[in-house]
């Protein structure tokens, strides 16, 4: 529009060109557009940053200035050596500094910047290291408490125990974080991953891996062993004053987190596959990741209970020989797409494949952050699930923090395969409709790996806890089970969830009179099942017996 105002509609090309060259604003706009489209402006450090010129010079190579990459010796000029761009990310061309590799820039920038500053001011090294240690130990808890709001944090913690045959002595952990029935043992490593090439100094790489992976796994395992050493154990502060007492049995899941300042992504993401080079963490429930990866998680997960379920699946994948990924974010991509992705990998691999690699599963995460960088407000990527299941997960995340077993209930629901999730969602919809017609609740009992009994309550069928427990126990007797999960969901008159709970029902403490009542209910239950099955057609002798105990019909109620 500005150009149209500056030149008449019938102006000649020479007149238009004269206007463009004489108008300073138009000339600047012309140069900017041409530079970004056909020039190097997008790579120009001065035009895209406000870094001090002296710092830019310290981070910039002159053509031919680096002598090490092509110096005489083994692997001369090979990419197996440390690349010049890993030590200085910029190059000078015609007096201007450019950056052509954004990935190497951000992967190495922190350490590159540190070297540049300390080369100018060596005496600053102590201050840098102290501040680096303080920030590195603080950030993991900042991001984890963002993921798990309201979590209980102890940092650092001290505990006194014996190791091997040595006398008891004090040991330290960087911190503990407790949320619901999950315990996170945090070990933070701010030390740098080696900058020598593995081709020239494999020993340095193995030493770094032992420090950043094996050492925190060993330290975290020592604390877990301490928790198991007694029904209840104390933990202390730096002054060795008791600050809390912990019970191992209170935690359904314990995760050892090895959090590093450096992002050695490809190695950390496949830590369980490094035993061949002497780094063995396969027997430890360890989750190795960088602070940068943890920050990404804190921006993706908006439901703490879903995050806990991901951790459970992430640890399973970390102990699986079938999951071999090169990026931490591929773990979350596979989780969002396949849920129990270690089982998915095992099924895909089968008996015919010796090696299996997954790639590209981080694409939804990349697309999400791309949209964020463009100023948009996208929804974080999530697992696909029926609306009824999503409502339960959301409700429990927003429920009172004292709601028992809410984390376990969410994990149970999210552990379900897609077809079973659909079954539960359809059962909820059908039950709410039938409650209005029958004025009572009809339970659903499932068997096998996902064995549970489900009750749907509503105003037309008010919650009857004793009825639910009696029925669940009658199912247990019929199936010869020691325990069974009971899930109760209650909805209001508008179909909104107002109560959700999972309880583990057992026969412990049941007196003789109550047991007779349970057995009678169990007998009636089996009779109803058999009658219903026979009404639907003949029962095959090799079919599962309709009574529900898992035996074949010919070896159960079909005998004789």
């Amino acid at each position: 529009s500005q150009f149209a105002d500056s030149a008449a509609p019938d102006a000649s090309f020479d007149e238009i060109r004269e206007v463009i060259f004489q108008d300073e604003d138009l000339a600047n706009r012309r140069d900017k557009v041409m530079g970004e489209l056909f020039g190097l402006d997008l790579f120009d450090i001065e035009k895209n940053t406000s870094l001090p010129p002296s710092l830019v010079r310290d981070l910039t190579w002159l053509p031919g200035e680096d002598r090490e990459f092509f110096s005489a010796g083994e692997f001369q000029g090979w990419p197996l050596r440390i690349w010049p761009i890993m030590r200085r990310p910029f190059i000078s061309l015609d007096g201007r500094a450019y950056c052509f590799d954004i990935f190497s820039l951000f992967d190495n920038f922190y350490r590159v910047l540190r070297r540049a500053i300390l080369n100018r001011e060596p005496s600053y090294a102590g201050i840098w290291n102290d501040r680096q240690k303080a920030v590195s130990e603080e950030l993991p808890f900042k991001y984890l408490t963002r993921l798990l709001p309201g979590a209980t944090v102890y940092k650092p913690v001290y505990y006194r125990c014996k190791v091997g045959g040595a006398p008891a002595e004090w040991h330290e952990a960087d911190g503990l974080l407790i949320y619901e029935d999950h315990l996170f043992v945090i070990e933070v490593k701010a030390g740098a991953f080696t900058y020598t090439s593995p081709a020239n100094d494999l020993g340095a790489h193995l030493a770094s891996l032992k420090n950043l992976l094996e050492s925190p796994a060993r330290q975290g395992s020592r604390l877990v062993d301490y928790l198991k050493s007694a029904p209840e154990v104390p933990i202390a502060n730096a002054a060795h004053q008791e600050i809390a007492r912990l019970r191992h049995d209170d935690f359904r899941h314990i995760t050892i987190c090895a959090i590093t300042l450096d992002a050695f992504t490809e190695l950390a993401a496949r830590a369980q596959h490094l035993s061949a080079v002497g780094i063995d963490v396969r027997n430890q429930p360890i989750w190795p990741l960088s602070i940068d990866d943890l920050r990404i998680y804190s921006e993706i997960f908006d439901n703490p209970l879903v995050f806990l379920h991901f951790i459970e699946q992430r640890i399973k994948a970390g102990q699986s020989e079938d999951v071999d990924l090169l990026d931490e974010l591929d773990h979350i991509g596979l989780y969002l797409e396949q849920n129990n992705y270690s089982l998915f990998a095992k099924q895909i691999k089968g008996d015919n494949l010796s090696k299996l690699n997954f790639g590209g599963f981080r694409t939804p995460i990349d697309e999400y952050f791309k949209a964020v960088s463009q100023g948009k407000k996208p929804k974080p990527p999530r697992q696909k699930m029926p609306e009824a299941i999503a409502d339960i997960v959301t409700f429990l995340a927003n429920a009172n923090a004292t709601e028992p077993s809410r984390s376990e209930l969410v994990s149970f629901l999210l552990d379900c395969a897609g077809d079973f999730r659909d079954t539960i969602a359809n059962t909820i919809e059908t039950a709410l409709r039938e409650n209005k017609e029958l004025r009572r609740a009809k339970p659903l009992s499932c068997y096998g790996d996902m064995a549970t009994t489900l009750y749907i309550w509503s105003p037309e069928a008010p919650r009857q806890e004793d009825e639910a427990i009696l029925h669940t126990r009658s199912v247990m007797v019929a199936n010869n089970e020691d325990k069974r999960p009971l899930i109760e969901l209650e909805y209001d008159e508008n179909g909104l969830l107002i109560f959700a709970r999972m309880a583990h029902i057992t026969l412990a403490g049941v007196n003789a009179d109550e047991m007779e009542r349970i057995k009678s209910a169990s007998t009636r239950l089996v009779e109803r099942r058999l009658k219903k099955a026979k009404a639907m057609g003949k029962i095959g002798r090799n079919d599962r017996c309709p009574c529900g105990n898992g035996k074949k019909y010919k070896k159960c109620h079909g005998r004789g």
Side-chain angles (χ1 to χ4, degrees):
S1 60
Q2 185 174 347
F3 173 77
D5 293 337
S6 303
D10 56 351
S12 67
F13 178 77
D14 290 338
E15 291 172 327
I16 293 174
R17 185 174 59 180
E18 183 177 352
V19 168
I20 292 176
F21 278 92
Q22 289 180 351
D23 188 304
E24 183 177 353
D25 183 53
L26 284 177
N28 289 336
R29 289 173 61 190
R30 175 207 64 206
D31 293 342
K32 183 176 185 297
V33 171
M34 297 300 290
E36 291 181 351
L37 286 177
F38 305 107
L40 299 177
D41 285 12
L42 292 177
F43 310 97
D44 193 306
I45 302 303
E46 182 181 347
K47 292 184 178 182
N48 290 282
T49 74
S50 57
L51 294 177
S54 58
L55 178 60
V56 172
R57 175 62 189 91
D58 289 345
L59 303 181
T60 303
W61 291 112
L62 296 173
E65 183 179 4
D66 175 60
R67 305 289 184 181
E68 184 175 327
F69 189 66
F70 287 101
S71 63
E74 195 174 17
F75 303 115
Q76 179 182 14
W78 280 45
L80 291 175
R81 286 190 173 186
I82 296 299
W83 300 359
I85 199 172
M86 296 177 181
R87 294 188 286 123
R88 294 189 198 175
F90 309 146
I91 187 169
S92 177
L93 300 174
D94 297 328
R96 303 195 68 84
Y98 297 95
C99 178
F100 295 106
D101 189 341
I102 191 171
F103 298 106
S104 182
L105 169 67
F106 286 109
D107 284 348
N108 301 288
F109 190 70
Y110 175 77
R111 296 298 180 184
V112 168
L113 185 63
R114 179 183 183 276
R115 286 198 298 272
I117 292 175
L118 297 187
N119 283 339
R120 284 181 170 269
E121 191 59 56
S123 63
Y124 189 65
I127 298 175
W128 180 289
N129 290 338
D130 290 341
R131 292 178 176 176
Q132 171 182 280
K133 183 176 186 296
V135 172
S136 299
E137 292 180 353
E138 182 63 31
L139 284 178
F141 294 95
K142 172 185 174 181
Y143 295 135
L144 283 169
T145 52
R146 183 186 298 176
L147 284 158
L148 303 168
T152 300
V153 175
Y154 301 103
K155 64 180 179 73
V157 297
Y158 294 81
Y159 56 99
R160 185 176 175 83
C161 70
K162 295 181 179 180
V163 177
E169 57 181 347
W170 287 97
H171 299 277
E172 178 188 3
D174 289 331
L176 300 177
L177 184 144
I178 300 171
Y179 191 86
E180 299 294 315
D181 50 8
H182 275 242
L183 170 66
F184 293 84
V185 181
I186 312 297
E187 293 290 346
V188 183
K189 296 296 181 181
F193 188 69
T194 180
Y195 283 90
T196 59
S197 168
N200 295 327
D201 194 349
L202 180 60
H205 274 257
L206 296 181
S208 284
L209 289 173
K210 285 182 178 293
N211 178 55
L212 298 179
L213 289 177
E214 197 172 274
S215 175
R218 183 175 62 254
Q219 292 168 340
S221 295
R222 182 173 59 212
L223 190 146
V224 174
D225 290 340
Y226 172 65
L227 290 178
K228 295 177 180 178
S229 66
E232 185 177 79
V233 297
I235 58 172
N237 58 19
H240 296 169
Q241 299 169 329
E242 183 177 318
I243 56 176
R245 300 185 75 84
L246 303 177
R247 293 171 51 87
H248 179 271
D249 291 344
D250 287 343
F251 303 111
R252 184 171 57 88
H253 202 275
I254 298 178
T255 304
I256 300 171
C257 296
I259 302 177
T260 63
L261 180 59
D262 280 351
F264 58 113
T265 301
E266 294 84 354
L267 294 174
R270 57 194 314 269
Q272 76 277 11
H273 296 282
L274 300 178
S275 58
V277 293
I279 311 300
D280 194 356
V281 298
R282 290 179 299 176
N283 296 325
Q284 313 298 338
I286 184 173
W287 181 32
L289 78 165
S290 70
I291 290 177
D292 284 343
D293 288 333
L294 186 58
R295 177 178 59 83
I296 290 174
Y297 282 127
S298 73
E299 296 185 28
I300 290 178
F301 284 99
D302 55 5
N303 185 311
L305 304 182
V306 175
F307 174 69
L308 292 181
H309 182 252
F310 164 71
I311 294 300
E312 295 170 18
Q313 295 297 332
R314 175 65 179 86
I315 295 302
K316 285 183 181 179
Q319 296 178 308
S320 169
E321 290 295 332
D322 301 316
V323 179
D324 191 1
L325 304 177
L326 298 180
D327 195 304
E328 178 65 27
L329 297 187
D330 276 327
H331 278 280
I332 183 174
L334 263 171
Y335 169 74
L336 294 174
E337 183 67 26
Q338 297 295 336
N339 189 38
N340 188 342
Y341 60 104
S342 57
L343 177 61
F344 170 73
K346 182 178 181 179
Q347 292 172 341
I348 291 294
K349 188 175 180 181
D351 298 326
N352 300 320
L353 299 176
S354 59
K355 188 173 180 59
L356 184 67
N357 286 325
F358 293 96
F361 280 89
R362 60 170 289 169
T363 300
I365 294 95
D366 292 337
E367 291 175 346
Y368 167 75
F369 283 107
K370 177 183 177 182
V372 170
S373 69
Q374 294 172 342
K376 302 176 183 178
K377 296 182 179 179
K379 291 184 178 180
R382 295 175 179 172
Q383 275 194 29
K384 294 179 181 179
M385 64 182 74
E387 184 177 354
I389 302 296
D391 288 344
I392 298 171
V393 172
T394 301
F395 170 80
L396 287 168
N398 296 329
N400 190 304
T402 60
E403 183 71 33
S405 301
R406 63 176 185 151
S407 168
E408 185 178 13
L409 176 50
V410 167
S411 288
F412 178 87
L413 294 173
L414 296 183
D415 277 343
C416 299
D419 55 347
F420 193 53
R421 291 184 187 184
D422 291 336
T423 297
I424 294 177
N426 293 335
T427 297
I428 294 172
E429 181 180 348
T430 301
L432 290 175
R433 184 174 62 253
E434 290 183 344
N435 284 2
K436 295 179 180 180
E437 301 170 356
L438 302 175
R439 316 301 293 183
R440 63 180 178 84
K442 291 176 60 177
L444 169 70
S445 289
C446 305
Y447 307 94
D449 293 337
M450 304 301 293
T452 187
T453 294
L454 173 65
Y455 264 88
I456 309 299
W457 307 107
S458 63
E460 300 82 9
R463 183 169 180 251
Q464 303 289 332
E465 184 175 3
D466 290 343
E467 174 191 327
I469 293 176
L470 173 62
H471 177 79
T472 304
R473 283 174 169 164
S474 69
V475 172
M476 293 167 56
V477 170
N479 301 344
N480 296 317
E481 296 173 347
D482 295 325
K483 62 181 179 179
R484 168 171 278 260
L486 166 63
I487 297 176
E488 296 181 85
L489 304 174
E490 184 175 359
Y491 293 81
D492 66 12
E493 63 276 6
N494 298 315
L496 298 177
L497 184 65
I498 59 174
F499 178 86
R501 177 171 296 178
M502 169 185 273
H504 292 281
I505 307 302
T506 69
L507 298 175
V510 175
N511 59 42
D513 291 341
E514 181 64 15
M515 182 58 74
E516 285 301 318
R517 183 177 173 221
I518 293 170
K519 289 180 178 179
S520 296
S522 179
T523 299
R524 293 193 299 271
L525 173 65
V526 171
E527 289 173 350
R528 289 198 304 271
R529 288 176 174 174
L530 291 170
K531 182 178 179 180
K532 182 179 178 180
K534 291 176 180 177
M536 297 176 63
K538 183 178 179 180
I539 306 172
R541 288 179 53 77
N542 289 317
D543 292 342
R544 295 294 179 186
C545 186
C547 75
N549 69 6
K551 296 181 180 179
K552 291 183 178 181
Y553 181 63
K554 66 182 180 182
K555 294 185 178 181
C556 192
H557 286 85
R559 289 180 295 185

